[in-house]
């Protein structure tokens, strides 16, 4: 006959076995759910990579996420130690964007004006950021454009210059009185358009000789008038979009300087601006406008 102690012990053992079996089943089910969830997450991530458009379906996509423009990672401690051992000095830190204010692209090259660094930086695909040749001679570069021939038009405190691939200044652009406070620059056919923040106009120069040709617009609030014009962009049809910052709109002109239409107005709803700053136009004619007040990009 079993002892009085052995009966509860066996029962406790059976209860423990049942508990362990239930726990194992629960863990198995949980593992299945986690695996399914991970598979779902992986599938969602892969779907996002395959379809990086925003907004997602069924809305009409407007923007595609391509990633961020960054330099290579900072050297590791081991790399620093090796550089000191081999060369007697630490490797130079990689360039980093601190205050990007202007951007232009041509082919596989991207140029960025950095107001904090006081430089124009060049980025080519997976390569690291490099200072643009000749950029060290520029005084606080703020905006730029790449002409069809590959030369670079750069706005800085000294005016607007054209640089060749070696960084040599091949042309300068100033009004006849020698004054110009550029806010943006754009190559338009054989001309160079420059927004003037002092006169609230667009000044047009001969691209080859640098000679001043004419003024587009005037200070005001009507069609073809500006208050603090800044960024510009070309459309596939050959028109020119000009950001009219303090009038909270983008104005569109022909290459001859004739007013065509406006985009947007003052306000805080969709299609309105608080402080538009820059504009870009896609190959399909879609217009992208950055708004510094609402911290967003609006697409038209």
């Amino acid at each position: 006959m079993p002892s009085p102690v052995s009966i509860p012990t066996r029962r406790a053992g059976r209860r423990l076995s049942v508990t362990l079996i239930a726990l194992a089943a629960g863990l198995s089910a949980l593992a299945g759910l986690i695996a399914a969830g991970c598979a779902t997450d992986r599938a969602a991530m892969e779907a996002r990579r395959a379809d990086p458009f925003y907004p997602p379906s069924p809305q009409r996509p407007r923007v595609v996420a391509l990633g961020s423009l960054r330099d290579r990672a900072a050297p590791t401690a081991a790399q620093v130690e090796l550089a000191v051992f081999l060369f007697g000095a630490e490797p130079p830190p990689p360039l980093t964007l601190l205050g990007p204010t202007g951007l232009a692209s041509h082919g596989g090259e991207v140029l960025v004006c950095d107001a904090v660094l006081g430089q124009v930086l060049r980025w080519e695909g997976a390569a690291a950021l490099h200072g643009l040749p000749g950029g060290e001679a520029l005084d606080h570069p703020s905006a730029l454009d790449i002409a069809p021939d590959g030369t670079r038009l750069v706005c800085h405190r000294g005016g607007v210059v054209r640089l060749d691939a070696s960084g040599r200044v091949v042309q300068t652009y100033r009004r006849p009185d020698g004054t110009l406070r550029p806010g943006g620059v754009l190559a338009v056919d054989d001309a160079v358009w420059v927004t003037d923040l002092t006169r609230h106009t667009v000044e047009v120069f001969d691209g080859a000789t640098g000679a001043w040709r004419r003024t587009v617009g005037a200070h005001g609030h009507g069609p073809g008038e500006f208050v603090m014009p800044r960024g510009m962009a070309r459309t596939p049809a050959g028109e020119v979009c000009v950001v009219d910052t303090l009038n909270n709109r983008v104005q569109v002109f022909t290459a001859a300087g004739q007013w065509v239409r406006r985009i947007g107005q003052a306000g805080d709803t969709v299609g309105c601006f608080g402080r538009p700053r820059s504009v870009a136009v896609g190959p399909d004619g879609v217009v992208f406008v950055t708004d510094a007040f609402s911290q967003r990009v609006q697409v038209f």
Side-chain angles (χ1 to χ4, degrees), residues 133-209:
E136 65 277 359
L138 302 174
D139 184 7
H140 287 78
S142 57
L144 73 163
D145 186 37
I146 302 177
D149 63 358
T151 56
R152 296 81 180 259
L153 300 165
V154 185
C155 298
H156 69 127
R157 288 181 179 175
V160 178
V161 296
R162 184 188 291 264
L163 304 176
D164 64 14
S166 68
R168 183 173 60 94
V169 176
V170 295
Q171 194 52 264
T172 59
Y173 303 93
R174 295 188 183 92
R175 281 179 50 87
D177 58 7
T179 62
L180 184 66
R181 185 187 169 199
V185 62
L186 189 71
V188 181
D189 296 334
D190 64 343
V192 172
W193 288 34
V194 182
T195 54
D196 191 328
L197 299 176
T198 300
R199 293 179 177 81
H200 307 282
T201 59
V202 176
E203 303 299 320
V204 181
F205 301 87
D206 184 278
T209 67

Side-chain angles (χ1 to χ4, degrees), residues 2-53:
S3 66
V5 178
S6 65
I7 294 174
T9 302
R10 290 176 181 175
R11 289 176 180 171
R14 284 196 296 270
R15 285 197 298 269
L16 179 60
S17 298
V18 171
T19 302
L20 290 174
I21 292 170
L23 179 60
L27 289 175
S28 177
L30 180 60
L33 289 174
I34 291 174
C38 289
T40 302
D41 289 344
R42 284 196 297 271
M45 290 174 63
E46 293 299 328
R48 281 195 293 272
R49 290 194 188 101
D51 185 23
F53 296 95

Side-chain angles (χ1 to χ4, degrees), residues 62-63 278-282 284 286-290 297-300:
R62 294 286 192 175
V63 180
S278 300
V279 60
V281 183
D284 55 357
V286 174
V287 179
F288 300 81
V289 185
T290 62
V297 178
Q298 296 208 56
V299 187
F300 299 84

Side-chain angles (χ1 to χ4, degrees), residues 227-279:
V227 182
M228 296 289 286
R230 286 189 176 272
M232 295 181 286
R234 295 173 293 272
T235 72
E239 296 172 335
V240 181
C241 297
V242 183
V243 176
D244 189 4
T245 300
L246 296 188
N247 280 327
N248 296 298
R249 62 189 179 185
V250 174
Q251 299 200 65
V252 183
F253 297 83
T254 67
Q258 297 174 330
W259 185 85
V260 178
R261 64 187 179 278
R262 78 172 188 184
I263 299 173
Q265 59 186 350
D268 57 3
T269 59
V270 173
C272 299
F273 300 116
R275 285 294 180 269
R277 296 292 297 271
S278 300
V279 60

Side-chain angles (χ1 to χ4, degrees), residues 78-91:
Q79 290 172 331
V80 171
E81 185 177 352
L82 180 62
V84 171
F85 175 76
L86 294 176
F87 308 111
E90 294 186 3

